[in-house]
Amino acid sequence: MARLAPARRAALRLCAACRQRDARARELLRTSDVMDGLDPRDRALATRLVLGVQRARGLCDAVVDAHLAHGHLEPRVRDALRMSAFELLYLGTPTQVAVSQGVELAAVASRRARGLANAVLRRIAEGDVPAMEAAR
């Protein structure tokens, strides 16, 4: 079991806050105390994840939904999968890291989501990432 990176934990909290409050990501980044304890490198990654996920939300949701037997996910699990899909598709995070961290993110939301997260993120890494790279 991998240890969840502080930047990803902070980004997940902020993405959930954006969804729950229907708030703007930039405003939350400025006013939230979630970022206070992070070192500059983690702060930069968390900022990139939050802003990127909010911009690519529709595509990330579509990619995640394409690998689900049914479309309903607990909102916090969806936040975690959306963020990990963004990392895989846009940031070029190594597959092993993105999947491992994505499983840990999903476990923060629901312990039962580990297997689902692993399966969905591996399918994205194997199918959607190469397709996205080919399209570029």
Side-chain angles (χ1 to χ4, degrees):
M1 182 164 44
R3 186 170 161 253
L4 183 58
R8 289 180 181 89
R9 183 180 300 276
L12 181 63
R13 287 183 58 195
L14 289 167
C15 285
C18 285
R19 175 182 43 77
Q20 291 165 344
R21 300 178 196 168
D22 197 25
R24 301 186 113 205
R26 287 191 185 279
E27 191 63 33
L28 277 177
L29 285 165
R30 267 188 244 128
T31 60
S32 175
D33 61 348
V34 172
M35 302 285 272
D36 291 346
L38 298 178
D39 67 42
R41 192 171 179 186
D42 283 338
R43 181 184 283 267
L45 176 58
T47 300
R48 189 169 189 191
L49 287 170
V50 171
L51 294 177
V53 166
Q54 296 310 309
R55 277 192 208 113
R57 183 179 181 147
L59 177 66
C60 291
D61 281 347
V63 168
V64 167
D65 287 345
H67 298 290
L68 296 173
H70 56 84
H72 179 73
L73 282 174
E74 184 179 326
R76 291 186 53 180
V77 173
R78 180 171 292 281
D79 291 338
L81 291 176
R82 184 185 293 137
M83 194 162 80
S84 297
F86 174 78
E87 271 198 84
L88 285 165
L89 295 168
Y90 291 100
L91 298 186
T93 303
T95 299
Q96 190 172 12
V97 173
V99 171
S100 173
Q101 290 292 291
V103 168
E104 294 305 314
L105 282 169
V108 167
S110 171
R111 287 274 175 216
R112 301 175 310 174
R114 284 179 172 276
L116 173 74
N118 188 43
V120 168
L121 294 173
R122 288 204 180 280
R123 288 183 195 134
I124 291 170
E126 292 167 2
D128 298 302
V129 170
M132 186 87 141
E133 288 173 358
R136 289 184 188 146

